[in-house]
């Protein structure tokens, strides 16, 4: 039985080298194999410390030397199994990597072996960070949060011990352990690449707010306005439910049509507004209304269903217009637009709410003459009832 597992201070290069040597001698009796290989860990570790990993040489040739020195003839080895073939592929890959490092050293006229040895612990830390980042992302933790920092510390410690062979798989790494480690390292490299490709593994509060607002707007039901490539308007990551324009003199305007640089209407996506304040609380949904209405707003404290504020479009006589501001609105139990909302004499007809600011500071631009509204702002839009009710 080998003593590899009992040597905690053996360098990883020595462990791998002697694992290959023992595989070349696996046709021997276990006691014979133990007699000719025990104690080699300490000898080769000292050799590596003095002359570097390159001093180890070829494990196949060294196995032949051990066999010859012990006077043991070459036995007939059984056909290679699946595990041995996998080991052979891994060994070949390791050899090609060593050859590539040596070739690179020749081109640069320097020994890259110490550089690779120095980078190995750095990789152990990086792969630990990748694992911590992935778990934190799954739980929605920020990397600066206490759980993520604690997780990162634990991951770094475990990764360092695994890399040094102090914990799993430790000792002489078998085929399964080598394959698992290769898979974990490959996955860690993939996570790092995806983190880099996504811009550093995090986003600003604005980006998260914009994304949340966009998703909320896209989840609307039949009450939402038609959506094109992007849904609605967002300011500082928050959904804009209405726009209140002012003229250059600082006075509020009503019935302002907005278009973009391509002449396309600038629409807001109309969805229920569940903003309820102490000054303007949303009324609760009554029992009869609750049976017919779709509950979209609830009280944050009690969970009681509330009536949402629904926005109505303007009209040009032929179509509904969601690019004319401010939009009228009203509080109602359901989310569907009422075709009779603007009927004559309706007390709860949609109306334009008071602007957030009575006036704003005047604005001017040298050489530019500002225009003035032809009429004073009104409290309700000039929309035809029939047009407002069209789907």
């Amino acid at each position: 039985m080998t003593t590899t597992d009992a040597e905690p201070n053996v360098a990883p290069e020595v462990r791998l080298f002697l694992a290959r040597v023992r595989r070349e001698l696996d046709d021997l009796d276990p006691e014979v194999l133990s007699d000719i290989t025990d104690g080699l860990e300490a000898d080769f570790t000292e050799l590596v410390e003095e002359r570097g990993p390159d001093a180890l040489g070829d494990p196949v040739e060294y196995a032949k030397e051990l066999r010859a020195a012990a006077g043991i003839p070459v036995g007939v080895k059984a056909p290679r199994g699946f595990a041995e073939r996998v080991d052979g592929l891994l060994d070949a890959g390791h050899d090609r990597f060593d050859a590539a490092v040596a070739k690179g050293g020749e081109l640069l006229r320097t020994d890259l072996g110490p550089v690779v040895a120095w980078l190995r612990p750095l990789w152990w830390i990086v792969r630990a960070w990748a694992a911590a980042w992935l778990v934190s992302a799954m739980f929605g933790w920020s990397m600066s949060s206490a759980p993520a920092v604690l997780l990162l510390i634990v991951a770094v410690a475990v990764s360092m011990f695994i890399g040094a062979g102090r914990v799993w798989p430790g000792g002489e790494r078998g085929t399964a352990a080598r394959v698992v480690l290769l898979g974990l390292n490959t996955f860690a490299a993939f996570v790092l690449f995806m983190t880099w490709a996504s811009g550093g593994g995090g986003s600003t509060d604005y980006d998260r707010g914009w994304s949340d607002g966009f998703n909320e707007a896209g989840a609307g039901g039949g009450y939402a306005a038609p959506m094109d490539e992007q849904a609605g308007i967002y300011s500082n990551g928050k959904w804009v439910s209405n726009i209140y324009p002012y003229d250059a003199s600082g006075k509020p305007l009503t019935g302002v049509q907005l278009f973009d640089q391509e002449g396309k209407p600038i629409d807001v996506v109309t969805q229920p507004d569940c903003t309820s304040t102490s000054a303007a609380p949303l009324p609760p949904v009554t029992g009869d209304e609750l049976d017919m209405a779709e509950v979209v707003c609830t009280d944050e404290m009690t969970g009681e269903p509330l009536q949402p504020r629904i926005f109505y479009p303007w009209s040009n006589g032929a179509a509904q217009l969601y690019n004319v501001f401010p939009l009228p609105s009203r509080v109602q139990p359901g989310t569907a637009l009422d075709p009779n909302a603007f009927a004559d004499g309706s007390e709860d007809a949609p109306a334009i709410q008071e602007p957030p600011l009575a006036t704003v500071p005047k604005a001017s631009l040298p050489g530019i003459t500002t225009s003035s509204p032809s009429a004073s702002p009104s409290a309700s839009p000039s929309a035809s009832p029939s047009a407002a009710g069209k789907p």
Side-chain angles (χ1 to χ4, degrees):
M1 179 173 180
T2 65
T3 60
T4 305
D5 293 343
E7 299 288 347
N9 296 320
V10 176
E13 298 89 347
V14 175
R15 295 181 189 276
L16 180 61
F17 177 81
L18 292 179
R20 295 181 181 180
V21 170
R22 291 186 173 95
R23 279 198 295 272
E24 292 298 321
L25 300 173
D26 61 1
D27 60 306
L28 302 181
D29 184 89
E31 293 184 2
V32 176
L33 178 62
S34 177
D35 289 339
I36 65 176
T37 59
D38 280 355
L40 293 179
E41 283 78 10
D43 296 338
F44 279 106
T45 297
E46 183 178 352
L47 177 65
V48 169
E49 291 176 352
E50 295 177 354
R51 298 170 52 187
D54 292 339
L56 292 173
D58 184 0
V60 177
E61 293 300 324
Y62 184 73
K64 293 179 180 179
E65 294 176 6
L66 282 179
R67 189 186 295 271
I72 303 174
V74 179
V76 179
K77 302 185 67 173
R80 298 180 67 190
F82 176 75
E84 291 181 331
R85 290 197 295 270
V86 172
D87 280 329
L89 292 175
L90 295 176
D91 292 342
H94 195 281
D95 292 339
R96 282 193 290 269
F97 175 79
D98 292 340
V101 171
K103 185 64 175 179
E106 293 177 2
L107 295 176
L108 298 175
R109 297 182 179 181
T110 185
D111 184 9
L112 294 180
V115 177
V116 174
W118 180 83
L119 289 176
R120 185 180 292 113
L122 181 62
W123 166 247
W124 297 343
I125 296 175
V126 172
R127 73 183 180 187
W129 180 92
W133 178 86
L134 180 63
V135 174
S136 298
M138 293 173 59
F139 285 94
W141 299 337
S142 168
M143 286 302 293
S144 59
S145 64
V149 172
L150 179 61
L151 176 64
L152 179 59
I153 294 174
V154 174
V156 168
V158 172
S159 179
M160 296 288 284
F161 278 117
I162 290 177
R166 301 295 181 87
V167 296
W168 179 92
E172 182 178 348
R173 295 175 176 175
T175 303
R178 296 179 70 188
V179 171
V180 170
L181 285 177
L182 177 62
L184 292 175
N185 285 331
T186 303
F187 182 72
F190 173 76
V191 170
L192 289 173
F193 172 77
M194 295 303 297
T195 303
W196 169 81
S198 63
S203 60
T204 63
D205 291 339
Y206 174 85
D207 294 333
R208 286 193 295 269
W210 191 97
S211 178
D212 292 344
F214 182 90
N215 292 336
E216 289 175 4
Y223 50 82
M227 293 185 293
D228 291 323
E229 296 178 357
Q230 293 184 349
I233 301 174
Y234 299 84
S235 177
N236 293 329
K238 296 181 179 179
W239 168 63
V240 175
S241 61
N242 211 343
I243 295 177
Y244 292 87
Y246 294 77
D247 63 12
S249 64
K251 297 179 181 179
L253 299 175
T254 301
V256 176
Q257 303 186 58
L258 298 183
F259 296 85
D260 64 12
Q261 72 280 358
E262 297 179 353
K264 296 181 179 180
I266 299 179
D267 299 346
V268 295
V269 173
T270 56
Q271 61 186 38
D273 187 354
C274 295
T275 304
S276 182
T277 63
S278 57
L282 294 177
V285 180
T286 63
D288 295 339
E289 296 169 340
L290 186 59
D291 295 335
M292 299 180 294
E294 176 186 0
V295 177
V296 295
C297 299
T298 57
D299 188 287
E300 294 182 356
M301 299 296 294
T302 64
E304 180 184 23
L306 301 178
Q307 297 186 34
R309 178 172 294 278
I310 303 299
F311 293 91
Y312 280 74
W314 289 66
S315 174
N316 61 5
Q320 297 177 351
L321 303 176
Y322 285 92
N323 70 319
V324 187
F325 301 100
L327 289 173
S329 64
R330 74 174 182 181
V331 176
Q332 60 184 49
T335 57
L337 298 180
D338 184 359
N340 300 316
F342 292 97
D344 294 337
S346 177
E347 296 181 356
D348 59 347
I352 294 175
Q353 294 179 283
E354 290 295 327
L357 301 172
T359 60
V360 297
K362 295 182 179 180
S364 62
L365 192 63
I368 301 297
T369 302
T370 60
S371 59
S372 300
S374 58
S376 60
S378 60
S380 60
S382 55
S384 68
S386 60
K390 292 182 180 180

